[in-house]
Amino acid sequence: MRLEVSCLDRVGLAKDILLIMEDYGINLFAIDASNQGFLYLQFAEVSFDTLSELLPLIRKVEGVHDVRTVSFMPSEQEHYALKTLLKTLPDSVFSIDVKGRIRIVNESALHTVGMAEHEVIDEPINHWVHGFSFSRWLSESTVLAQATRVNIGENEYLAEMLPIYLPDSGSDTPILAGAVVSLKSPARLGKQFNALQNQSSGFENVLATSDKMKEVLVQARRMAQLDAPLLITGETGTGKELMSRACHDASMRREHPFIAINCAAMPDSAAEEELFGFVSNGSVVKRGFIEEAKGGTIFLDEIAEMSKSAQVKLLRFIQDGTFRRVGGDEEIRSDVRIICSTQKNLAELCQSGEFREDLYYRIHVLSFHVPALRERKVDIIPLTEMFLEHYSQQLSIPIRRISGECREHLLGYAWPGNVRQLKNAIFRAVSMWDGNAELTVEQLKLPSYAEGFGYFDHQFEGSLEQAMKQFEASLLRRLYPAYPSTRQLAKKLGVSHTAIANKLREYKINKPK
């Protein structure tokens, strides 16, 4: 139980209160005092009747204004605030005394050294952290903050050491009580440096370790500075909207609006009004997104899903920069950059008449393709570690290591949902944390998936011949538009054109228009 006593700063006041508590046989656990005129007492739980007698007696003490029960002591709040901070910090943190012995350690540090808390407390930090003599540094006449390279096992870290000084009431010279040691890994330092270096470019949130993704970023940075329409292609979940926003943030339009529109989520009847606005009886009822984004960027996600009538008006706007609101006659000019994305093959949709060919050429002035996650496997583990760190901090739990088996599974999985699927899988695993220090395959709960066949149950039904035919038909449907004759396709696949013709007939695959 805890009490907050509002009182004057009077000599002997605390003694008077303690005498009252002694009369009731109450054992005091802790006492806090603040210079704000408050005294805090913590003691064992007492009955309601005892408390009802105790509070009026304390209020009668000279200098006491009021007394009430509280949920926590100020020192408790400070203690648990520090504990929460240490627990959620991704960096390894040690607090050591003047002899270099560990007094406090956070969970990240315990994971780094691979030990339990009771195994490291009161032990010299140099048992695990090598390359710097902490005891010698703390024995110097003047101990100053330092930063140096150290090792834990085979891994290197940057150690930042800050001395802890306590004020000495009897002297102007503070007393050295120890130091706080923080360790940062090269990977974390690299991410922090890149974020600082790229802050003005808009691409600081895009992780690129693989050569494929680095090449995409080089193209994107160049195209971001241009004002021509940009088309970003890629499978679902590859990060097309993230790249479009990065292009906007890296452009001269960064101070103006960025408006993202999901064309698939707009009903055909409302698409024109949403984009261009609406006028009724000569009054503007609604301003469209293109008008609201003046000077900035419009991102049209899944442009292939846009209605035919909206495609016509968008084409005209891209041609001359003007449009008319639905129901209006006024020509309006709006300076915006158009960035589009799609996971479909727009060239094929143009051939089948599902997408306007003239619009396709207008939005396809500049373009780049965001590769699927299975095509940039070098990025999978760094992305996993980044999501682990992010969600662990967000949910205030220790950062976990990735088990060897889990690494192999992550690298071998097809990732049909790409980065979005990986991000969601890591969030699910972190949010269901069971205290295990390692991320396992079972915790990811990834559905079984075979590239070319899609998701399947472990109880696979069908014969090998059926599975082979399914794959064969899927492959021919993808290749035929690019090799639109039986001879070209046969040459590409290394078989006779007669065999290809028979296969196309068997699977009812028609010649592309």
Side-chain angles (χ1 to χ4, degrees):
M1 182 166 285
R2 300 159 185 83
L3 295 181
E4 178 189 74
V5 181
S6 172
C7 57
L8 296 175
D9 185 9
R10 177 177 71 80
V11 175
L13 183 141
K15 180 182 176 182
D16 292 343
I17 294 174
L18 294 179
L19 287 172
I20 294 172
M21 299 185 72
E22 184 181 359
D23 290 340
Y24 279 84
I26 295 174
N27 184 26
L28 190 68
F29 293 159
I31 183 168
D32 282 354
S34 76
N35 54 11
Q36 305 294 324
F38 290 98
L39 191 68
Y40 295 89
L41 308 168
Q42 183 181 9
F43 49 91
E45 292 289 328
V46 297
S47 67
F48 178 77
D49 292 339
T50 302
L51 187 64
S52 300
E53 295 176 14
L54 183 65
L55 296 185
L57 290 175
I58 294 177
R59 290 191 182 99
K60 290 180 180 178
V61 173
E62 182 186 350
V64 172
H65 302 313
D66 194 16
V67 59
R68 66 188 183 100
T69 59
V70 291
S71 301
F72 52 81
M73 306 271 281
S75 58
E76 288 181 299
Q77 184 182 21
E78 293 173 6
H79 170 75
Y80 285 104
L82 176 60
K83 192 172 182 179
T84 301
L85 176 64
L86 289 174
K87 182 179 179 180
T88 56
L89 272 177
D91 300 324
S92 299
V93 178
F94 301 87
S95 176
I96 57 177
D97 62 15
V98 291
K99 299 295 184 181
R101 292 172 300 202
I102 299 170
R103 293 303 187 194
I104 302 173
V105 59
N106 72 345
E107 295 190 39
S108 179
L110 293 173
H111 288 322
T112 301
V113 299
M115 307 293 284
E117 186 174 9
H118 70 273
E119 295 176 303
V120 300
I121 295 298
D122 292 330
E123 295 292 330
I125 189 173
N126 277 128
H127 279 183
W128 297 279
V129 183
H130 305 134
F132 182 81
S133 176
F134 293 92
S135 56
R136 185 185 304 164
W137 168 61
L138 290 165
S139 64
E140 293 176 359
S141 56
T142 303
V143 180
L144 302 174
Q146 289 209 26
T148 188
R149 182 182 298 177
V150 296
N151 297 299
I152 296 180
E154 297 180 356
N155 299 318
E156 278 192 339
Y157 296 88
L158 173 67
E160 293 181 317
M161 284 113 20
L162 302 172
I164 302 171
Y165 283 104
L166 302 180
D168 184 1
S169 57
S171 169
D172 293 334
T173 304
I175 303 169
L176 179 67
V180 173
V181 181
S182 174
L183 305 182
K184 292 181 183 289
S185 67
R188 180 160 168 77
L189 280 170
K191 281 195 291 186
Q192 291 175 332
F193 178 75
N194 288 336
L196 180 64
Q197 189 179 44
N198 297 330
Q199 194 151 9
S200 61
S201 73
F203 290 92
E204 66 274 9
N205 292 323
V206 183
L207 188 148
T209 305
S210 64
D211 292 338
K212 265 195 173 184
M213 200 60 197
K214 286 179 179 177
E215 185 179 338
V216 170
L217 287 185
V218 170
Q219 296 177 26
R221 283 192 175 97
R222 291 174 181 169
M223 295 177 185
Q225 305 302 319
L226 307 175
D227 252 359
L230 170 63
L231 178 63
I232 305 174
T233 60
E235 294 180 8
T236 181
T238 50
K240 299 187 289 294
E241 182 172 349
L242 178 67
M243 292 297 292
S244 70
R245 189 176 291 274
C247 287
H248 169 78
D249 291 341
S251 72
M252 299 299 291
R253 298 177 178 269
R254 69 176 70 93
E255 302 299 327
H256 298 283
F258 173 88
I259 297 180
I261 304 166
N262 187 341
C263 297
M266 283 195 303
D268 290 352
S269 58
E272 290 183 70
E273 293 180 10
E274 292 294 327
L275 286 173
F276 304 106
F278 176 63
V279 172
S280 178
N281 298 324
S283 300
V284 178
V285 178
K286 179 181 176 61
R287 294 176 62 198
F289 289 131
I290 286 179
E291 195 172 351
E292 290 180 353
K294 189 172 183 179
T297 303
I298 284 281
F299 172 59
L300 298 172
D301 191 19
E302 297 305 333
I303 184 71
E305 306 296 333
M306 180 177 282
S307 68
K308 292 290 186 65
S309 56
Q311 288 182 34
V312 174
K313 294 194 75 167
L314 179 63
L315 172 64
R316 185 187 173 199
F317 172 71
I318 294 175
Q319 285 176 333
D320 55 23
T322 63
F323 65 93
R324 290 180 183 177
R325 301 186 186 100
V326 176
D329 297 324
E330 181 186 0
E331 290 280 345
I332 301 167
R333 182 170 295 276
S334 184
D335 173 31
V336 299
R337 186 187 189 184
I338 300 292
I339 299 180
C340 303
S341 79
T342 183
Q343 57 178 306
K344 295 185 177 180
N345 188 326
L346 289 183
E348 286 185 8
L349 294 180
C350 290
Q351 289 180 345
S352 63
E354 296 176 56
F355 194 81
R356 291 187 64 94
E357 192 170 355
D358 46 4
L359 178 59
Y360 170 64
Y361 294 131
R362 289 290 183 182
I363 63 175
H364 196 195
V365 179
L366 302 171
S367 69
F368 61 81
H369 180 78
V370 183
L373 191 56
R374 62 183 173 277
E375 297 171 4
R376 41 184 285 218
K377 291 192 174 183
V378 178
D379 292 329
I380 291 176
I381 300 303
L383 280 168
T384 303
E385 291 173 340
M386 181 179 75
F387 294 143
L388 268 176
E389 180 180 325
H390 173 75
Y391 288 124
S392 295
Q393 290 182 49
Q394 189 181 85
L395 300 175
S396 299
I397 65 173
I399 298 175
R400 300 155 72 187
R401 296 187 296 270
I402 308 171
S403 69
E405 182 187 8
C406 188
R407 284 176 181 267
E408 291 181 11
H409 187 70
L410 288 166
L411 293 171
Y413 192 65
W415 297 111
N418 293 290
V419 180
R420 184 187 293 119
Q421 185 185 15
L422 173 61
K423 185 177 182 180
N424 292 341
I426 298 303
F427 175 76
R428 181 171 56 248
V430 172
S431 62
M432 301 301 290
W433 182 57
D434 57 0
N436 195 336
E438 288 191 326
L439 179 69
T440 64
V441 174
E442 293 74 21
Q443 290 161 341
L444 290 174
K445 298 188 183 302
L446 292 171
S448 298
Y449 187 89
E451 192 173 348
F453 296 95
Y455 293 104
F456 63 89
D457 295 328
H458 290 290
Q459 301 298 325
F460 175 73
E461 295 182 1
S463 65
L464 177 62
E465 182 182 359
Q466 289 172 324
M468 293 295 291
K469 283 189 173 184
Q470 186 180 350
F471 174 77
E472 194 173 55
S474 175
L475 178 66
L476 292 174
R477 284 194 181 92
R478 290 203 304 268
L479 289 179
Y480 201 20
Y483 302 90
S485 75
T486 54
R487 292 188 182 278
Q488 290 179 33
L489 190 54
K491 184 178 180 182
K492 170 64 180 175
L493 295 174
V495 296
S496 70
H497 74 277
T498 304
I500 288 294
N502 290 336
K503 291 289 184 184
L504 293 174
R505 206 163 26 246
E506 178 185 355
Y507 300 131
K508 296 181 173 58
I509 300 174
N510 299 319
K511 187 171 184 178
K513 298 178 182 179

